Short mmCIF file of all heavy atoms in Angstrom, two decimals:
data_model
loop_
_atom_site.label_atom_id
_atom_site.label_comp_id
_atom_site.label_asym_id
_atom_site.label_seq_id
_atom_site.Cartn_x
_atom_site.Cartn_y
_atom_site.Cartn_z
N HIS B 206 -31.64 36.41 33.22
CA HIS B 206 -32.19 37.77 33.35
C HIS B 206 -33.25 37.78 34.46
O HIS B 206 -33.28 38.80 35.32
CB HIS B 206 -32.62 38.32 32.12
CG HIS B 206 -33.40 39.57 32.19
ND1 HIS B 206 -32.83 40.78 32.54
CD2 HIS B 206 -34.84 39.86 31.95
CE1 HIS B 206 -33.87 41.63 32.61
NE2 HIS B 206 -35.02 41.05 32.26
N PHE B 207 -34.05 36.80 34.38
CA PHE B 207 -35.22 36.69 35.34
C PHE B 207 -34.70 36.59 36.66
O PHE B 207 -35.12 37.26 37.63
CB PHE B 207 -36.09 35.60 34.81
CG PHE B 207 -37.39 35.48 35.74
CD1 PHE B 207 -38.50 36.24 35.51
CD2 PHE B 207 -37.51 34.45 36.65
CE1 PHE B 207 -39.58 36.28 36.19
CE2 PHE B 207 -38.56 34.42 37.39
CZ PHE B 207 -39.72 35.20 37.22
N ALA B 208 -33.79 35.59 36.87
CA ALA B 208 -33.21 35.31 38.12
C ALA B 208 -32.52 36.50 38.72
O ALA B 208 -32.55 36.81 40.03
CB ALA B 208 -32.26 34.11 38.19
N ALA B 209 -31.72 37.26 37.90
CA ALA B 209 -31.00 38.38 38.39
C ALA B 209 -31.89 39.54 38.81
O ALA B 209 -31.40 40.33 39.85
CB ALA B 209 -30.25 38.91 37.11
N ALA B 210 -33.10 39.55 38.45
CA ALA B 210 -33.97 40.48 39.13
C ALA B 210 -34.31 40.18 40.48
O ALA B 210 -34.58 41.10 41.32
CB ALA B 210 -35.38 40.44 38.29
N ALA B 211 -34.28 38.91 40.94
CA ALA B 211 -34.43 38.52 42.37
C ALA B 211 -33.31 38.39 43.16
O ALA B 211 -33.24 38.34 44.36
CB ALA B 211 -35.29 37.33 42.40
N TRP B 212 -32.15 38.10 42.51
CA TRP B 212 -30.86 37.77 43.18
C TRP B 212 -29.78 38.65 42.60
O TRP B 212 -29.21 38.47 41.55
CB TRP B 212 -30.54 36.30 42.82
CG TRP B 212 -29.37 35.78 43.71
CD1 TRP B 212 -28.94 36.34 44.90
CD2 TRP B 212 -28.72 34.52 43.48
NE1 TRP B 212 -27.95 35.49 45.39
CE2 TRP B 212 -27.72 34.26 44.59
CE3 TRP B 212 -28.82 33.55 42.52
CZ2 TRP B 212 -26.86 33.40 44.69
CZ3 TRP B 212 -27.92 32.43 42.67
CH2 TRP B 212 -27.04 32.38 43.58
N ALA B 213 -29.37 39.67 43.48
CA ALA B 213 -28.54 40.65 43.11
C ALA B 213 -27.06 40.09 42.57
O ALA B 213 -26.50 40.74 41.73
CB ALA B 213 -28.22 41.76 44.27
N ARG B 214 -26.70 39.09 43.23
CA ARG B 214 -25.26 38.55 42.81
C ARG B 214 -25.20 38.07 41.40
O ARG B 214 -24.10 37.92 40.84
CB ARG B 214 -24.98 37.41 43.74
CG ARG B 214 -24.76 37.92 45.17
CD ARG B 214 -24.33 36.69 46.10
NE ARG B 214 -22.94 36.21 45.89
CZ ARG B 214 -22.51 35.14 46.41
NH1 ARG B 214 -23.17 34.66 47.46
NH2 ARG B 214 -21.32 34.71 46.18
N LEU B 215 -26.39 37.84 40.81
CA LEU B 215 -26.41 37.26 39.40
C LEU B 215 -26.36 38.65 38.50
O LEU B 215 -26.11 38.39 37.23
CB LEU B 215 -27.64 36.57 39.15
CG LEU B 215 -27.59 35.19 39.49
CD1 LEU B 215 -28.91 34.42 39.12
CD2 LEU B 215 -26.48 34.35 38.74
N ARG B 216 -26.66 39.93 38.97
CA ARG B 216 -26.67 41.01 37.96
C ARG B 216 -25.51 41.17 37.17
O ARG B 216 -25.75 41.46 35.91
CB ARG B 216 -27.12 42.25 38.84
CG ARG B 216 -28.61 42.09 39.18
CD ARG B 216 -29.15 43.21 39.88
NE ARG B 216 -30.44 42.79 40.53
CZ ARG B 216 -31.01 43.22 41.57
NH1 ARG B 216 -30.37 44.04 42.43
NH2 ARG B 216 -32.18 42.82 41.90
N PRO B 217 -24.21 41.04 37.58
CA PRO B 217 -23.19 41.32 36.63
C PRO B 217 -23.26 40.27 35.54
O PRO B 217 -22.99 40.70 34.37
CB PRO B 217 -21.94 41.10 37.62
CG PRO B 217 -22.41 41.36 38.93
CD PRO B 217 -23.81 40.92 39.04
N ALA B 218 -23.49 39.08 35.73
CA ALA B 218 -23.52 38.08 34.78
C ALA B 218 -24.69 38.25 33.80
O ALA B 218 -24.52 37.99 32.61
CB ALA B 218 -23.64 36.72 35.37
N ALA B 219 -25.66 38.76 34.33
CA ALA B 219 -26.86 39.01 33.47
C ALA B 219 -26.57 40.03 32.47
O ALA B 219 -27.47 40.14 31.42
CB ALA B 219 -28.17 39.44 34.36
N ARG B 220 -25.58 40.83 32.41
CA ARG B 220 -25.21 41.75 31.32
C ARG B 220 -25.02 41.09 30.03
O ARG B 220 -25.16 41.75 28.87
CB ARG B 220 -23.96 42.50 31.79
CG ARG B 220 -24.27 43.53 32.80
CD ARG B 220 -22.93 44.17 33.30
NE ARG B 220 -23.13 45.18 34.36
CZ ARG B 220 -23.70 46.38 34.10
NH1 ARG B 220 -23.85 46.80 33.02
NH2 ARG B 220 -23.87 47.14 35.24
N ILE B 221 -24.67 39.77 30.00
CA ILE B 221 -24.40 39.08 28.78
C ILE B 221 -25.83 38.64 28.06
O ILE B 221 -25.79 38.20 26.93
CB ILE B 221 -23.54 37.74 28.92
CG1 ILE B 221 -24.36 36.74 29.77
CG2 ILE B 221 -22.14 38.24 29.38
CD1 ILE B 221 -23.62 35.39 29.60
N SER B 222 -26.80 38.89 28.85
CA SER B 222 -28.11 38.36 28.21
C SER B 222 -28.72 39.60 27.52
O SER B 222 -28.86 40.70 28.14
CB SER B 222 -29.09 38.12 29.38
OG SER B 222 -30.35 37.89 29.00
N PRO B 223 -29.20 39.26 26.32
CA PRO B 223 -29.94 40.46 25.49
C PRO B 223 -31.10 40.91 26.32
O PRO B 223 -31.46 42.14 26.19
CB PRO B 223 -30.23 39.89 24.21
CG PRO B 223 -29.43 38.74 24.14
CD PRO B 223 -29.01 38.14 25.47
N PHE B 224 -31.76 40.06 27.09
CA PHE B 224 -32.96 40.52 27.73
C PHE B 224 -32.73 41.57 28.94
O PHE B 224 -33.63 42.30 29.25
CB PHE B 224 -33.61 39.26 28.46
CG PHE B 224 -34.09 38.30 27.33
CD1 PHE B 224 -33.30 37.11 27.13
CD2 PHE B 224 -35.22 38.53 26.58
CE1 PHE B 224 -33.68 36.22 26.03
CE2 PHE B 224 -35.65 37.53 25.64
CZ PHE B 224 -34.83 36.56 25.36
N HIS B 225 -31.33 41.66 29.27
CA HIS B 225 -30.97 42.64 30.33
C HIS B 225 -31.12 43.96 29.68
O HIS B 225 -31.34 45.02 30.48
CB HIS B 225 -29.48 42.43 30.57
CG HIS B 225 -28.87 43.44 31.58
ND1 HIS B 225 -29.20 43.44 32.87
CD2 HIS B 225 -28.09 44.45 31.28
CE1 HIS B 225 -28.57 44.45 33.43
NE2 HIS B 225 -27.85 45.14 32.46
N TYR B 226 -31.16 44.03 28.32
CA TYR B 226 -31.18 45.45 27.69
C TYR B 226 -32.52 45.49 27.17
O TYR B 226 -32.76 46.29 26.19
CB TYR B 226 -30.19 45.48 26.39
CG TYR B 226 -28.79 45.25 27.02
CD1 TYR B 226 -28.20 43.81 27.02
CD2 TYR B 226 -28.10 46.25 27.68
CE1 TYR B 226 -26.97 43.63 27.47
CE2 TYR B 226 -26.81 45.99 28.19
CZ TYR B 226 -26.16 44.68 28.03
OH TYR B 226 -24.97 44.51 28.71
N TYR B 227 -33.54 44.93 27.84
CA TYR B 227 -35.04 45.14 27.41
C TYR B 227 -35.72 45.51 28.68
O TYR B 227 -36.21 44.63 29.52
CB TYR B 227 -35.51 43.89 26.77
CG TYR B 227 -36.97 44.04 26.37
CD1 TYR B 227 -37.36 45.21 25.75
CD2 TYR B 227 -37.81 42.95 26.40
CE1 TYR B 227 -38.63 45.35 25.25
CE2 TYR B 227 -39.05 43.02 25.93
CZ TYR B 227 -39.51 44.18 25.34
OH TYR B 227 -40.91 44.25 24.92
N GLU B 228 -35.84 46.70 29.08
CA GLU B 228 -36.50 47.28 30.24
C GLU B 228 -37.83 47.85 29.83
O GLU B 228 -37.81 49.19 29.38
CB GLU B 228 -35.64 48.21 31.04
CG GLU B 228 -34.40 47.63 31.46
CD GLU B 228 -33.33 48.54 31.92
OE1 GLU B 228 -32.94 49.51 31.00
OE2 GLU B 228 -32.86 48.52 33.14
N SER B 229 -38.88 47.13 29.78
CA SER B 229 -40.12 47.85 29.17
C SER B 229 -40.82 48.79 30.20
O SER B 229 -41.37 49.68 29.75
CB SER B 229 -41.13 46.66 28.82
OG SER B 229 -41.20 45.70 30.07
N SER B 230 -40.70 48.54 31.55
CA SER B 230 -41.41 49.30 32.60
C SER B 230 -41.07 50.83 32.38
O SER B 230 -42.01 51.66 32.37
CB SER B 230 -41.05 48.89 34.03
OG SER B 230 -41.40 47.53 34.01
N PRO B 231 -39.70 51.30 32.42
CA PRO B 231 -39.44 52.64 32.48
C PRO B 231 -40.03 53.19 31.21
O PRO B 231 -40.50 54.39 31.03
CB PRO B 231 -37.89 52.62 32.44
CG PRO B 231 -37.63 51.32 32.97
CD PRO B 231 -38.58 50.41 32.62
N THR B 232 -39.86 52.54 30.01
CA THR B 232 -40.48 53.04 28.71
C THR B 232 -41.97 53.19 28.82
O THR B 232 -42.55 54.23 28.41
CB THR B 232 -40.01 52.07 27.66
OG1 THR B 232 -38.60 51.75 27.79
CG2 THR B 232 -40.32 52.86 26.27
N LEU B 233 -42.68 52.25 29.27
CA LEU B 233 -44.02 52.27 29.37
C LEU B 233 -44.53 53.38 30.28
O LEU B 233 -45.62 54.03 29.98
CB LEU B 233 -44.73 50.86 29.65
CG LEU B 233 -44.56 49.87 28.60
CD1 LEU B 233 -44.98 48.52 29.18
CD2 LEU B 233 -45.30 50.14 27.33
N LEU B 234 -43.84 53.55 31.30
CA LEU B 234 -44.17 54.62 32.31
C LEU B 234 -43.78 56.04 31.93
O LEU B 234 -44.01 57.05 32.67
CB LEU B 234 -43.50 54.18 33.68
CG LEU B 234 -44.14 53.03 34.31
CD1 LEU B 234 -43.33 52.49 35.59
CD2 LEU B 234 -45.63 53.14 34.84
N GLY B 235 -43.09 56.02 30.85
CA GLY B 235 -42.70 57.36 30.32
C GLY B 235 -41.39 57.89 31.18
O GLY B 235 -41.17 59.02 31.04
N LEU B 236 -40.62 57.01 31.82
CA LEU B 236 -39.58 57.51 32.63
C LEU B 236 -38.30 57.69 31.69
O LEU B 236 -37.47 58.43 32.12
CB LEU B 236 -39.29 56.50 33.73
CG LEU B 236 -40.41 56.26 34.80
CD1 LEU B 236 -40.10 55.12 35.81
CD2 LEU B 236 -40.81 57.67 35.39
N SER B 237 -38.10 56.81 30.74
CA SER B 237 -36.95 56.85 29.83
C SER B 237 -37.26 56.21 28.63
O SER B 237 -38.10 55.40 28.51
CB SER B 237 -35.61 56.21 30.48
OG SER B 237 -35.97 54.81 30.71
N LEU B 238 -36.41 56.57 27.64
CA LEU B 238 -36.44 55.95 26.31
C LEU B 238 -35.35 54.99 26.26
O LEU B 238 -34.17 55.19 26.67
CB LEU B 238 -36.24 56.95 25.23
CG LEU B 238 -37.33 58.03 25.09
CD1 LEU B 238 -37.09 58.89 23.97
CD2 LEU B 238 -38.69 57.26 24.82
N PRO B 239 -35.55 53.82 25.62
CA PRO B 239 -34.50 52.67 25.54
C PRO B 239 -33.45 52.84 24.53
O PRO B 239 -32.95 51.83 23.86
CB PRO B 239 -35.40 51.45 25.30
CG PRO B 239 -36.65 51.99 24.48
CD PRO B 239 -36.82 53.38 24.87
N VAL B 240 -33.18 54.05 24.22
CA VAL B 240 -32.20 54.38 23.07
C VAL B 240 -30.79 53.44 23.38
O VAL B 240 -30.30 52.81 22.43
CB VAL B 240 -31.93 55.73 22.94
CG1 VAL B 240 -30.95 56.12 21.84
CG2 VAL B 240 -33.26 56.58 22.62
N ARG B 241 -30.34 53.87 24.60
CA ARG B 241 -28.98 53.05 24.75
C ARG B 241 -29.08 51.69 24.69
O ARG B 241 -28.20 51.06 24.10
CB ARG B 241 -28.63 53.50 26.21
CG ARG B 241 -27.05 53.11 26.59
CD ARG B 241 -26.80 53.60 27.99
NE ARG B 241 -25.69 52.90 28.42
CZ ARG B 241 -25.78 51.63 29.06
NH1 ARG B 241 -27.02 51.19 29.28
NH2 ARG B 241 -24.78 51.02 29.43
N ASN B 242 -30.23 51.04 25.27
CA ASN B 242 -30.31 49.51 25.15
C ASN B 242 -30.35 49.09 23.63
O ASN B 242 -29.93 48.12 23.25
CB ASN B 242 -31.71 49.12 25.86
CG ASN B 242 -31.46 49.11 27.35
OD1 ASN B 242 -30.38 49.16 27.82
ND2 ASN B 242 -32.56 49.24 28.11
N ILE B 243 -31.20 49.81 22.94
CA ILE B 243 -31.34 49.41 21.47
C ILE B 243 -29.94 49.49 20.72
O ILE B 243 -29.50 48.62 20.02
CB ILE B 243 -32.32 50.31 20.84
CG1 ILE B 243 -33.82 49.98 21.31
CG2 ILE B 243 -32.39 50.10 19.36
CD1 ILE B 243 -34.95 50.76 20.88
N VAL B 244 -29.22 50.71 21.00
CA VAL B 244 -27.87 50.83 20.42
C VAL B 244 -27.01 49.68 20.76
O VAL B 244 -26.22 49.05 19.97
CB VAL B 244 -27.28 52.18 20.74
CG1 VAL B 244 -25.82 52.25 20.35
CG2 VAL B 244 -28.06 53.15 20.21
N VAL B 245 -26.96 49.29 22.15
CA VAL B 245 -26.16 48.17 22.62
C VAL B 245 -26.43 46.89 21.89
O VAL B 245 -25.62 46.11 21.27
CB VAL B 245 -26.25 48.02 24.10
CG1 VAL B 245 -25.65 46.57 24.54
CG2 VAL B 245 -25.65 49.14 24.86
#
Side-chain angles (χ1 to χ4, degrees):
Chain B
H206 166 68
F207 184 78
W212 191 14
R214 290 179 70 178
L215 278 179
R216 279 178 197 150
R220 286 175 184 279
I221 63 163
S222 170
F224 298 101
H225 176 76
Y226 303 95
Y227 183 37
E228 299 166 303
S229 51
S230 304
T232 309
L233 290 171
L234 292 168
L236 301 176
S237 66
L238 292 179
V240 177
R241 189 176 158 274
N242 285 341
I243 290 174
V244 168
V245 168

